Amino acid sequence: DTEVTQTPKHLVMGMTNKKSLKCEQHMGHRAMYWYKQKAKKPPELMFVYSYEKLSINESVPSRFSPECPNSSLLNLHLHALQPEDSALYLCASRLGQAGEQFFGPGTRLTVL
Amino acid sequence: QKEVEQNSGPLSVPEGAIASLNCTYSDRGSQSFFWYRQYSGKSPELIMFIYSNGDKEDGRFTAQLNKASQYVSLLIRDSQPSDSATYLCAVRSPGNNRKLIWGLGTSLAVNP
């Protein structure tokens, strides 16, 4: 089973709202990722958690705040977003030595 | 600068033909190589990975790796209209094995 789940599937928010994206995997993977993807572009790495510790932050603006409550869960807290932050937000988890990553279905975010 | 390059396409093949997708990478130290399929509006799906020189086959898909020439390819035999998607090549960064370096993707259209 290589399932990563994400909620919600769609999210519309105003620029003053606070919302959270959630990601869950039960495959025992110890690395989890947040990506942002715009249309016709590859995924753009935002954050990596390894063994529940933040190991990579790709200079993401502070209006995005990640959290890893335990080895199965990953959250992305959103606050004061801009319309240009509208995108598909993808969560992924990494399996083994080869580094293969498995993606969840994504959250389609629209910021008005 | 570490790069992964793909022809953007669209690559158009008739149903039943072999589709050949190519990817070149710049960092000779790269170790693991991945092909993801992404349907429009969906998340990337891992279809193949390879880390040894030569061919790796899985059903209708064959990944080919040539480290001396720094390219990796994906062959899809007996192409079906359902194979129409964007194919993303990704390479594990030798400098940081938690990161993937992504190509821009090749759009494949399989015509009935």
Side-chain angles (χ1 to χ4, degrees):
Chain A
D1 186 10
T2 55
E3 186 176 6
V4 178
T5 59
Q6 290 186 244
T7 55
K9 291 184 180 178
H10 302 275
L11 179 62
V12 179
M13 60 187 291
M15 289 190 285
T16 58
N17 292 157
K18 287 185 181 181
K19 297 286 185 183
S20 296
L21 309 184
K22 295 185 185 303
C23 173
E24 190 167 5
Q25 59 91 10
H26 293 288
M27 298 175 282
H29 297 177
R30 302 314 297 262
M32 296 183 74
Y33 297 70
W34 281 115
Y35 287 90
K36 172 183 176 180
Q37 189 178 27
K38 294 275 205 177
K40 300 191 185 303
K41 298 289 187 183
E44 178 185 347
L45 183 64
M46 299 175 73
F47 303 103
V48 181
Y49 274 82
S50 181
Y51 291 88
E52 301 164 47
K53 294 189 187 306
L54 183 65
S55 62
I56 297 176
N57 176 341
E58 293 286 271
S59 302
V60 178
S62 59
R63 57 186 185 268
F64 296 92
S65 175
E67 178 194 20
C68 188
N70 60 55
S71 61
S72 300
L73 292 174
L74 191 63
N75 298 321
L76 186 63
H77 303 296
L78 314 173
H79 174 56
L81 295 193
Q82 304 297 309
E84 58 265 28
D85 296 321
S86 298
L88 180 66
Y89 287 83
L90 297 161
C91 174
S93 66
R94 182 168 63 93
L95 174 58
Q97 292 298 320
E100 59 269 38
Q101 295 180 24
F102 297 92
F103 285 85
T107 294
R108 176 71 60 186
L109 174 67
T110 303
V111 182
L112 301 177
Chain B
Q1 182 175 351
K2 301 179 178 62
E3 291 184 346
V4 175
E5 296 190 353
Q6 300 179 250
N7 288 326
S8 61
L11 174 65
S12 183
V13 300
E15 184 174 357
I18 295 175
S20 178
L21 304 161
N22 299 311
C23 173
T24 60
Y25 58 95
S26 62
D27 194 320
R28 235 173 232 290
S30 301
Q31 295 290 324
S32 302
F33 308 85
F34 306 88
W35 284 101
Y36 285 84
R37 177 176 63 197
Q38 187 170 27
Y39 295 111
S40 180
K42 301 296 185 182
S43 63
E45 175 190 7
L46 179 66
I47 54 173
M48 292 285 288
F49 72 91
I50 188 168
Y51 47 83
S52 299
N53 266 336
D55 295 0
K56 179 181 179 182
E57 187 174 320
D58 184 1
R60 295 187 296 112
F61 299 97
T62 298
Q64 299 176 318
L65 175 59
N66 184 322
K67 289 188 176 181
S69 301
Q70 296 177 235
Y71 80 79
V72 57
S73 61
L74 179 70
L75 301 179
I76 307 175
R77 289 182 300 281
D78 188 25
S79 295
Q80 301 297 308
S82 58
D83 295 324
S84 299
T86 295
Y87 289 80
L88 294 160
C89 173
V91 176
R92 193 175 75 174
S93 169
N96 184 329
N97 67 2
R98 298 183 181 93
K99 296 176 68 169
L100 295 179
I101 303 168
W102 295 83
L104 295 181
T106 297
S107 175
L108 173 65
V110 180
N111 304 307

